[in-house]
Amino acid sequence: MSTNILTGNKSPAILLGAAAAGFVVGLAANFGRKAVVQGMTAAQGEWDEGLKAEHRLTLRLFDAIEKTDASQTWKRGMLLTQLKHALAKHAYEEENVVYPAMRDHGQVEDADQLVHDHGYVKQYLYDLGEMPTADPEWIAKVREFRREIEAHIAQEEDALFPRLRAALGKEGNAHVTAEMNKAGFAAA
């Protein structure tokens, strides 16, 4: 180790090396976190199955929020943060891959309506973030939000995604799956 005997200071080369090592470790940790977060979706196989898994995760987060009471403000805040992250990643995948594929395959109005719905998702998340989590209206807003999310999920899973899946064919579905996983990894 190179230390100046008179001052006890470490040389700039050692400090630079330590900083570089810390940077590399941070990048590796972030890459690992992204791999874990997107891994659940990718493990489902096809793009639509990955999105369905994310829908189920979203509903589980709503379940966890709805099991809290007004005294659990910290827990509510943490769960809301998790919900925001999950929905942001999910929206990024859909808005940057799936909805454009829908437009390319004749589902223009449906894709535009889903993007419109996502605007209201962001509005709900904003409103909930602005309200005190102990406020009785907060949990009422969560329940209203959940009803809207459930309707959005049903529309996607029951009608729109099966129609897109059929229109894409084998190669198209493989392409959308790969692109969606890339988008999910980037957003994770």
Side-chain angles (χ1 to χ4, degrees):
M1 185 156 68
S2 178
T3 303
N4 183 316
I5 295 173
L6 298 175
T7 64
N9 292 333
K10 296 191 181 359
S11 75
I14 290 175
L15 293 176
L16 187 59
F23 179 74
V24 169
V25 168
L27 281 178
N30 189 46
F31 182 84
R33 181 193 58 77
K34 286 176 167 281
V36 168
V37 169
Q38 185 58 22
M40 179 202 72
T41 302
Q44 301 303 311
E46 297 289 333
W47 63 270
D48 52 340
E49 293 302 319
L51 292 176
K52 286 178 186 178
E54 290 180 1
H55 289 159
R56 300 300 158 258
L57 171 64
T58 298
L59 295 176
R60 284 194 303 273
L61 287 168
F62 275 107
D63 290 342
I65 291 170
E66 290 181 84
K67 288 178 184 172
T68 64
D69 62 48
S71 71
Q72 296 174 299
T73 58
W74 187 85
K75 185 173 185 178
R76 283 181 171 184
M78 292 302 296
L79 289 167
L80 180 60
T81 297
Q82 289 177 3
L83 183 63
K84 285 179 180 180
H85 287 290
L87 288 172
K89 175 187 163 299
H90 184 79
Y92 188 82
E93 292 166 332
E94 288 182 336
E95 292 172 9
N96 289 285
V97 179
V98 178
Y99 298 169
M102 288 174 67
R103 285 185 193 94
D104 286 349
H105 288 84
Q107 292 178 268
V108 175
E109 289 179 25
D110 292 328
D112 290 345
Q113 179 59 50
L114 294 173
V115 169
H116 182 264
D117 292 351
H118 281 195
Y120 282 98
V121 166
K122 292 172 181 122
Q123 185 68 50
Y124 272 108
L125 291 170
Y126 174 80
D127 291 345
L128 288 167
E130 292 294 304
M131 296 174 73
T133 57
D135 185 331
E137 292 301 312
W138 190 87
I139 201 70
K141 182 73 128 177
V142 166
R143 290 182 178 123
E144 178 185 326
F145 182 23
R146 182 188 184 127
R147 284 190 298 276
E148 295 292 327
I149 289 286
E150 287 175 333
H152 180 88
I153 288 170
Q155 182 183 26
E156 286 180 338
E157 290 185 6
D158 298 341
L160 302 178
F161 289 174
R163 190 177 334 145
L164 177 60
R165 183 165 192 54
L168 288 170
K170 185 177 179 178
E171 286 181 26
N173 280 299
H175 177 72
V176 168
T177 297
E179 291 303 308
M180 192 194 78
N181 282 316
K182 281 191 237 174
F185 184 81

